[in-house]
């Protein structure tokens, strides 16, 4: 399943914003249009992703390097799955990008690895760009590196790592939405270990903000960031796109 690391060609860094349960349909539209104009005006070609709430998805007219994605969807086209959306609803807006395995879905909404793998395989079979999230809770981190890596490898159960449209995001659970950022050496260690086994773009996520973004992007094997809280303000997100574009 896992492949040896191959020579990585230096690539532009990626930046992604996860809105979680924030912004309205109206403010999302303004946000996306603002970011899109900024990318055009500044001639920025880095891959930028925005994951709005399901109610704010729309057919946005954007530059090719700005993609809108779903934070979550069920592994189905349509049917009787109250509260869920499927590919029929995503197709309406041309959405072809999805976040899978986010820590809040795993640990707050209780998604199991089996359910996550089903979702992954369904969206893989439909050719979606998948940002697949992994990361350990605090008690696992405190148990040590072997335990942490063991926990992370289990999050790859049932996941085809050879899939072309796969981006990984390492997001330690204890650093998400808490303001606590992982130490540079911790990020470097985990990213090196993951990259050794899996040759895919690897983002870091967990309390990234304008003041720590550059330092994080300078860490070897960090190919970009997935950002929640500090990305919800459009001016701040544009500042972080700017920083990312210079790396
Ligand atoms: C996230 O939602 O993926 C995330 C990293 O959130 P925050 O930046 O708020 O920690």
């Amino acid at each position: 399943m896992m492949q040896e690391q191959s020579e990585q060609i230096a690539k532009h860094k990626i930046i992604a914003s996860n809105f979680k349960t924030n912004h309205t349909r109206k403010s999302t539209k303004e946000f996306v249009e603002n970011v899109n104009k900024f990318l055009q005006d500044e001639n920025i070609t880095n891959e930028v992703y925005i994951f709005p709430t399901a109610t704010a998805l729309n057919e946005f007219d954007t530059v090719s390097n700005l993609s809108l994605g779903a934070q979550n969807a069920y592994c189905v086209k349509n049917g009787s799955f109250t509260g869920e959306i499927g590919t029929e609803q995503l197709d309406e807006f041309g959405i072809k990008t999805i976040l899978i395995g986010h820590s809040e879905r795993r640990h707050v909404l209780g998604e199991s690895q089996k359910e996550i793998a089903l979702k992954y395989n369904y969206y893989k079979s439909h050719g979606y760009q998948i940002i697949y999230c992994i990361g350990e809770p605090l008690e696992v981190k405190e148990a040590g590196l072997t335990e942490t890596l063991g926990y992370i490898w289990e999050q790859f159960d049932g996941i085809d790592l050879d899939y072309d449209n796969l981006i990984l995001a390492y997001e330690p659970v204890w650093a998400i939405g808490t303001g606590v950022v992982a130490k540079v050496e911790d990020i470097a260690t985990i990213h090196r270990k993951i990259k050794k086994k899996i040759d895919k773009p690897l983002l870091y996520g967990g309390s990234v903000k304008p003041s720590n973004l550059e330092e994080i992007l300078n860490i070897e094997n960090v190919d970009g960031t997935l950002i929640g809280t500090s990305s919800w303000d459009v001016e701040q997100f544009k500042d972080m796109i700017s920083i990312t574009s210079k790396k």
Side-chain angles (χ1 to χ4, degrees):
M1 184 170 70
M2 290 171 187
Q3 60 194 47
E4 287 303 307
Q5 184 181 24
S6 67
E7 208 48 33
Q8 271 255 307
I9 300 157
K11 250 197 95 190
H12 288 326
K13 306 273 184 189
I14 298 166
I15 179 163
S17 166
N18 175 14
F19 277 15
K20 310 193 192 202
T21 320
N22 298 283
H23 276 296
T24 61
R25 196 166 169 75
K26 181 171 180 280
S27 67
T28 297
K29 184 173 183 289
E30 288 164 0
F31 187 105
V32 171
E33 287 172 355
N34 194 332
V35 170
N36 189 57
K37 185 173 184 310
F38 177 70
L39 295 176
Q40 274 177 321
D41 291 351
E42 301 296 315
N43 226 341
I44 292 174
T45 55
N46 300 64
E47 276 174 65
V48 179
Y49 294 89
I50 298 172
F51 294 89
T53 64
T55 58
L57 292 176
N58 213 333
E59 201 167 14
F60 294 107
D61 184 15
T62 63
V63 289
S64 60
N65 52 312
L66 172 58
S67 302
L68 275 288
Q71 292 176 26
N72 177 51
Y74 200 51
C75 42
V76 77
K77 179 181 174 198
N78 54 25
S80 299
F81 304 96
T82 302
E84 297 286 346
I85 58 169
T87 46
E88 188 169 280
Q89 288 73 40
L90 297 175
D91 284 348
E92 186 178 15
F93 304 125
I95 303 290
K96 275 291 188 188
T97 302
I98 188 165
L99 207 55
I100 296 181
H102 190 276
S103 88
E104 284 148 17
R105 299 235 38 108
R106 292 180 190 268
H107 301 286
V108 182
L109 284 311
E111 268 183 31
S112 68
Q113 184 59 30
K114 205 168 153 207
E115 289 166 321
I116 288 167
L118 275 175
K119 222 172 246 190
Y120 181 95
N121 285 307
Y122 181 79
Y123 282 93
K124 179 192 132 191
S125 74
H126 286 75
Y128 276 63
Q129 173 75 66
I130 298 174
I131 297 192
Y132 184 70
C133 306
I134 47 174
E136 81 290 354
L138 186 59
E139 66 273 17
V140 176
K141 177 198 164 36
E142 284 174 349
L145 183 60
T146 309
E147 286 73 9
T148 299
L149 291 173
Y151 188 94
I152 290 171
W153 302 148
E154 280 180 16
Q155 294 181 320
F156 290 123
D157 279 357
I159 304 298
D160 173 12
L161 296 171
D162 290 330
Y163 180 46
D164 281 343
N165 296 328
L166 169 61
I167 295 172
L168 298 172
Y170 169 60
E171 301 202 300
V173 179
W174 46 272
I176 298 180
T178 58
V180 179
V181 194
K183 288 194 194 112
V184 167
E185 53 270 32
D186 289 343
I187 301 173
T189 302
I190 303 292
H191 274 240
R192 188 175 64 249
K193 295 282 184 189
I194 296 172
K195 276 280 189 175
K196 220 172 180 175
K197 284 187 182 270
I198 310 162
D199 183 22
K200 291 290 174 190
L202 177 57
L203 314 183
Y204 171 77
S207 299
V208 175
K209 47 186 179 265
S211 61
N212 61 24
L213 177 60
E214 187 169 358
E215 184 179 41
I216 289 168
L217 290 173
N218 282 340
I219 301 171
E220 213 178 332
N221 297 313
V222 171
D223 299 311
T225 53
L226 173 55
I227 311 171
T229 317
S230 80
S231 71
W232 303 335
D233 176 277
V234 73
E235 294 307 321
Q236 199 157 274
F237 188 51
K238 288 192 297 183
D239 284 349
M240 293 192 286
I241 292 174
S242 235
I243 295 168
T244 303
S245 73
K246 297 189 177 83
K247 290 282 122 201

